[in-house]
Amino acid sequence: MARTGQMVLVAVVAAVVALGVVFGRSLLEGGSSLNSDSQTKQASKPSDSLTANDVPANRALLPAAGIAAAPGAAASATAQAQAPLSSGQGQQAALSPTSKPLGQDSSVSSTFRGVTDREIRFGISAPFTGPAKELGQNMKRGIEAAFNVANAKGGVYGRQLRLVAADDGYEPTRTAVAMKELYEKDQVFGLVGNVGTPTAVVALPYALDRKMLFFGAFTGAGLLRNEPPDRYVFNYRASYAEETGAVVNYLVKVRRLLPEQIAVFAQQDAYGDAGFAGVEKAIRSLRGGIESPILRLNYQRNTVDVEDAVAKLQQYNAQLQQKKRPPIKAVIMVPTYRAAAKFIEKTRDLYPDMIYTSVSFVGSTALADELMLLGKKYATGVIVTQVVPAVDGHSSLVLDYKSALAKYFPGEAPDYVSLEGYVDASVLIAALQRNGAQLDTEGLVGTLENLRDLDVGLGTPVIFSRSDHQGVHRVWGTQLDETGHYQPIDLQ
């Protein structure tokens, strides 16, 4: 009986062990199946560029709870966890899940600063506060309108275009901080639409030292137009020399003034210097290369302190009268809008027949608004040279711009500065599309230097080459009427 009982007990134990083995194997297979399904679902997701904020929580593929892992597997996992990571492995681990599903690379696929699978980041340093804030705000608005149009169509090779703005207040001392922020903190690919000449004196060397694209700056200064051109600098607009040259020729050949009857009202910095140099060059050309003195009336940047300029003009005209010489009959202005309006306000009654002209940087719409607040006599007849077609026109380009502005910035009025920003961005987008999906600065520079006869609707083609980094050389003439609207005029 005892022997028989022992035999039964052994049989029962054997049966229990057999059932445990079968049951355990079934559970293990079930756990493997679950993990396999999870992998399949993850692998089916499209691969995206990851940033620190996008990284999913680490998920180790461990055996199901309650199932004992094989002794060797546990030791192996412990060893892997304790093994030190190389620098590259550590960075990868910080950006990736612990286990990568088959066929999915979860590492950051960005290959160049400011470029990811999802976006291309550009920066702009401009005044968004202070007396010149309308210039920065309108330039930014125009660029973003064009970017939004492109993004709504899928972006550029699937990448969305983004503009990161830094406020420099139109002060060079703040520009250095703004540029450093865009480069180091925001990691932008390049700059587009930076506003100002005195600020470019600081921003340009910073960008060139770091081989950053410096595209479509809102300035016509010569420092951005070296011969041969700086590799990373591309301008859309005509230069101040071209704008002032066109208006000098207009005043002398169309309005029949003598060159000595022309004075210059200019900001006392690199911007004013550039415009004044353009007037000097144009008058010297008209005089067959002979130098002649030109009256320059100065004011300080970011102020409307024009009293000294007005007094100097009065004194100079009194001296001319004593010498029985013709008085100053035209003032070419190289200002911002508030200083220009204040100068006109202070001199219009003194010289009712004075012809006032300004370069495009003035901010045409803002100038018109300022003058109309003073009264229509201050606005009527003021001439502004432009580097884009008339905002009140009906060309395809202008209509597209107005449509984008109304859609993305409802309530904002069309403006020459924002139109220039829109054209800047449109040219840049065309270059990015022609460049191809693989994007880096050197490749885009090569694409731009071979951009020929690009038609964006200006009535003149945009052309770049290795020896000319200025896309357009045309200057348009406009003149304010008594209602405060600009009408096109022929400068020739």
Side-chain angles (χ1 to χ4, degrees):
M1 285 293 293
R3 182 175 180 83
T4 301
Q6 289 176 346
M7 291 177 64
V8 170
L9 180 61
V10 168
V12 169
V13 170
V16 170
V17 170
L19 286 172
V21 169
V22 172
F23 183 70
R25 182 182 301 166
S26 176
L27 285 176
L28 284 170
E29 289 174 351
S32 175
S33 175
L34 287 172
N35 284 335
S36 175
D37 182 62
S38 176
Q39 286 179 327
T40 301
K41 288 180 180 179
Q42 290 178 6
S44 68
K45 297 178 181 178
S47 175
D48 285 326
S49 166
L50 293 177
T51 66
N53 293 329
D54 297 324
V55 180
N58 292 339
R59 295 187 301 275
L61 298 183
L62 299 176
I67 303 174
S76 175
T78 302
Q80 288 178 2
Q82 293 175 346
L85 295 175
S86 67
S87 175
Q89 290 172 327
Q91 293 173 358
Q92 179 68 24
L95 291 171
S96 305
T98 301
S99 177
K100 294 187 295 183
L102 183 64
Q104 178 178 336
D105 182 4
S106 59
S107 64
V108 174
S109 58
S110 171
T111 57
F112 202 84
R113 168 186 293 273
V115 182
T116 72
D117 285 348
R118 298 175 181 177
E119 73 173 14
I120 308 171
R121 284 191 306 280
F122 288 96
I124 177 175
S125 175
F128 300 108
T129 57
K133 64 184 179 182
E134 281 84 357
L135 301 180
Q137 290 169 351
N138 278 309
M139 177 57 66
K140 177 176 178 286
R141 192 174 294 133
I143 294 169
E144 289 183 329
F147 277 8
N148 288 341
V149 170
N151 289 341
K153 297 176 181 177
V156 178
Y157 294 98
R159 297 183 177 113
Q160 297 285 287
L161 301 169
R162 183 158 73 94
L163 186 66
V164 182
D167 182 15
D168 61 27
Y170 196 43
E171 287 292 352
T173 54
R174 294 175 58 183
T175 302
V177 177
M179 290 293 291
K180 184 176 182 181
E181 179 181 323
L182 291 170
Y183 181 79
E184 294 184 0
K185 176 187 172 184
D186 300 307
Q187 299 274 306
V188 298
F189 173 77
L191 287 305
V192 56
N194 271 27
V195 172
T197 302
T199 48
V201 172
V202 175
L204 183 59
Y206 186 95
L208 290 177
D209 286 346
R210 290 155 183 79
K211 299 182 177 180
M212 295 175 69
L213 183 70
F214 202 86
F215 188 89
F218 185 43
T219 169
L223 76 146
L224 281 81
R225 292 163 173 81
N226 289 327
E227 294 182 5
D230 294 320
R231 177 167 175 78
Y232 304 101
V233 179
F234 289 85
N235 301 291
Y236 151 70
R237 62 167 18 243
S239 68
Y240 291 144
E242 288 167 322
E243 285 193 70
T244 53
V247 82
V248 165
N249 275 280
Y250 167 77
L251 291 172
V252 173
K253 296 181 178 180
V254 178
R255 302 298 289 267
R256 301 298 181 183
L257 300 186
L258 297 173
E260 56 264 31
Q261 291 182 288
I262 299 172
V264 176
F265 171 69
Q267 195 162 280
Q268 197 166 8
D269 60 10
Y271 166 44
D273 294 345
F276 184 75
V279 175
E280 280 189 314
K281 181 179 179 181
I283 290 179
R284 185 169 61 247
S285 177
L286 288 173
R287 290 185 172 278
I290 300 174
E291 297 280 355
S292 60
I294 301 170
L295 175 64
R296 176 168 175 171
L297 311 166
N298 290 319
Y299 78 96
Q300 294 295 318
R301 180 181 61 249
N302 275 341
T303 75
V304 291
D305 185 4
V306 302
E307 298 299 333
D308 288 347
V310 174
K312 188 173 181 179
L313 176 61
Q314 289 179 287
Q315 182 182 11
Y316 190 81
N317 268 337
Q319 292 172 351
L320 291 174
Q321 186 177 18
Q322 288 178 354
K323 297 177 182 179
K324 297 183 178 180
R325 293 170 56 184
I328 297 296
K329 293 289 291 182
V331 178
I332 298 175
M333 301 185 295
V334 190
T336 53
Y337 54 93
R338 285 181 178 156
K342 181 61 70 173
F343 180 78
I344 294 172
E345 178 188 7
K346 295 292 186 180
T347 57
R348 175 61 94 185
D349 290 336
L350 294 172
Y351 308 105
D353 297 326
M354 185 72 75
I355 301 170
Y356 299 94
T357 81
S358 177
V359 296
S360 57
F361 183 85
V362 70
S364 302
T365 303
L367 175 62
D369 291 344
E370 292 279 334
L371 292 174
M372 289 302 291
L373 287 174
L374 297 172
K376 65 181 182 180
K377 74 174 183 179
Y378 297 99
T380 305
V382 173
I383 296 167
V384 180
T385 51
Q386 308 289 358
V387 296
V388 290
V391 166
D392 289 335
H394 295 86
S395 67
S396 295
L397 168 67
V398 171
L399 294 179
D400 288 346
Y401 152 74
K402 289 180 177 178
S403 175
L405 195 67
K407 181 175 182 179
Y408 296 109
F409 298 96
E412 295 293 342
D415 171 81
Y416 281 92
V417 179
S418 62
L419 175 56
E420 182 174 339
Y422 183 85
V423 174
D424 268 350
S426 298
V427 175
L428 179 59
I429 291 166
L432 290 168
Q433 290 170 334
R434 293 191 184 190
N435 180 81
Q438 289 297 113
L439 180 60
D440 60 68
T441 302
E442 300 301 330
L444 185 57
V445 166
T447 299
L448 283 164
E449 288 188 333
N450 288 280
L451 196 64
R452 302 286 188 273
D453 296 329
L454 175 64
D455 183 4
V456 295
L458 291 166
T460 187
V462 179
I463 301 172
F464 292 112
S465 69
R466 287 176 64 88
S467 59
D468 189 357
H469 282 196
Q470 181 173 300
V472 171
H473 295 266
R474 182 169 175 178
V475 177
W476 287 263
T478 62
Q479 186 172 36
L480 277 172
D481 62 21
E482 63 180 9
T483 67
H485 290 87
Y486 287 96
Q487 303 299 329
I489 62 170
D490 191 351
L491 295 176
Q492 298 180 353

